[in-house]
Amino acid sequence: MTYSQHIPVMIEELLNIVQPEQCQTVVDATYGRGGHATAIYGRLPSDARMVLIDRDPEAIVHARSVWQVTQGVDIVHAPFSRLGKELKVLGLFGKIDAIIFDFGVSSPQLDSHDRGFSFNHDGPLDMRMDNSSGPTALEWMMGIPEKKLAQVLREYGEERFSWAIAASIKQALSNGAIQTTRDLEQLVVAAQPFKDKHKHPATRTFQAIRIAVNDELSEIEQGLEQALEGLAPGGRLAAISFHSIEDRIVKRFIRNQSRGDHYPPEVPVPSEMMHPRLRQIGKPLKPGTEEIQKNPRSRSAVFRAAQKVA
């Protein structure tokens, strides 16, 4: 198997937050092709432990080919929603010094003709992060009502022509006119009366369908909550998002957990009695100009971090 090149985003910013030299246990919950993991592992103490997790079977194959015999490394095939369970199996729940998330689709997934994530290649309409289970994008579109499909396109893709596109998709599906990514791309382009000058017309539709097929937003919410539970007191949570929908989830989670227990506004409760569970670390970060020039896919990245309150 050949592996597409993957350039990890915001390496230096991540290392500054994680501080691997001071860690005994680190979890990379989105291994991908190991860019972040490699940078962190190289700075860990010799007796430290690292857990590499990914939902994508191809990422796990890569991890095993590179890390299988590496001292102190565990490799786990699982989605975010099983993070807590897998950490308990390893005996590490509540003992993690840092947990890293790098949300969204990876470069190898985008560049693979067989995965169906991109309209730049003609291929099967799959779009599954874990292509060993669950319905493909084509199967999902065939099973969802038109009204619900339009809602998904509007909410997950922020697509202003969601109703027209949904109607065209369902009509095409009924006569077998959609089979591949190129079929879907051409249909979406034709269904839009006005085109965005700065974005391909099919971008939002592909994004929305991918998010829905993989239940990505719920997975992120569950992953963040379980990561917080799995951290040791003082442990650090680092999250890189590539879309405003993902970033809003991270932002809201850190904000809510930093506030602590909820009380009515009229109840005078001192902040120390509200039991905050997280403390935000610094401000949100974005890649610098030099990194964006080297890796244009990094331009939309937003990095947020927080520390579990002891």
Side-chain angles (χ1 to χ4, degrees):
M1 178 181 293
T2 58
Y3 299 109
S4 173
Q5 182 185 20
H6 176 66
I7 305 173
V9 173
M10 304 183 77
I11 284 284
E12 292 304 318
E13 293 86 345
L14 185 65
L15 292 173
N16 288 337
I17 291 296
V18 173
Q19 300 178 2
E21 297 86 352
Q22 302 177 28
C23 294
Q24 282 299 310
T25 309
V26 175
V27 174
D28 185 345
T30 45
Y31 172 76
R33 292 301 182 267
H36 290 137
T38 300
I40 291 171
Y41 185 82
R43 299 194 184 189
L44 288 173
S46 58
D47 60 343
R49 192 169 177 184
M50 191 166 194
V51 184
L52 309 177
I53 304 176
D54 208 291
R55 185 179 185 179
D56 188 339
E58 292 183 7
I60 295 301
V61 169
H62 182 278
R64 288 171 179 159
S65 71
V66 176
W67 299 85
Q68 188 74 64
V69 296
T70 305
Q71 179 181 350
V73 173
D74 298 280
I75 300 170
V76 178
H77 178 212
F80 299 146
S81 55
R82 286 218 324 264
L83 176 61
K85 177 181 179 181
E86 298 297 341
L87 293 179
K88 289 176 182 177
V89 170
L90 294 171
L92 299 175
F93 193 75
K95 302 176 183 179
I96 308 298
D97 295 312
I99 297 181
I100 304 151
F101 292 99
D102 182 2
F103 297 124
V105 64
S106 69
S107 294
Q109 290 169 329
L110 282 171
D111 295 337
S112 173
H113 294 221
D114 297 328
R115 302 299 297 273
F117 289 107
S118 173
F119 45 77
N120 292 326
H121 317 288
D122 195 21
L125 275 166
D126 193 315
M127 297 195 196
R128 293 173 295 173
M129 294 289 189
D130 183 348
N131 56 356
S132 66
S133 63
T136 65
L138 181 59
E139 292 167 341
W140 178 85
M141 287 190 296
M142 293 178 67
I144 191 171
E146 181 179 317
K147 182 178 180 180
K148 179 63 176 177
L149 176 57
Q151 181 182 354
V152 165
L153 299 182
R154 185 175 63 255
E155 293 183 2
Y156 295 170
E158 299 175 326
E159 175 54 68
R160 56 178 173 162
F161 302 117
S162 58
W163 286 104
I165 293 171
S168 295
I169 288 175
K170 296 303 289 187
Q171 175 62 38
L173 287 170
S174 67
N175 56 33
I178 297 181
Q179 295 295 326
T180 70
T181 55
R182 190 59 50 81
D183 294 336
L184 179 59
E185 177 211 9
Q186 293 175 349
L187 182 146
V188 172
V189 171
Q192 296 191 25
F194 305 105
K195 307 297 187 291
D196 189 330
K197 295 181 180 180
H198 307 291
K199 185 175 291 189
H200 189 286
T203 299
R204 294 185 177 91
T205 293
F206 270 69
Q207 171 188 290
I209 293 172
R210 187 205 81 219
I211 289 174
V213 166
N214 295 288
D215 197 20
E216 290 180 37
L217 303 188
S218 175
E219 285 287 328
I220 291 174
E221 291 170 349
Q222 293 180 73
L224 290 171
E225 182 62 42
Q226 292 178 34
L228 174 56
E229 297 291 343
L231 285 170
R236 298 189 168 209
L237 173 67
I240 300 174
S241 306
F242 288 84
H243 190 275
S244 58
I245 297 176
E246 301 164 348
D247 183 53
R248 280 197 295 269
I249 294 174
V250 178
K251 177 182 179 180
R252 183 172 63 245
F253 178 79
I254 292 177
R255 181 191 63 206
N256 291 344
Q257 297 301 333
S258 297
R259 288 176 176 172
D261 299 334
H262 177 72
Y263 290 93
E266 64 273 13
V267 178
V269 180
S271 58
E272 64 271 13
M273 294 182 61
M274 297 181 70
H275 307 109
R277 303 172 72 198
L278 282 177
R279 176 182 64 82
Q280 181 173 309
I281 301 175
K283 297 181 179 180
L285 302 175
K286 295 186 177 182
T289 303
E290 183 178 349
E291 178 169 5
I292 293 173
Q293 290 175 344
K294 292 180 178 178
N295 179 17
R297 285 179 177 171
S298 72
R299 65 185 177 275
S300 60
V302 179
F303 179 34
R304 297 181 186 270
Q307 186 171 28
K308 187 171 182 177
V309 176

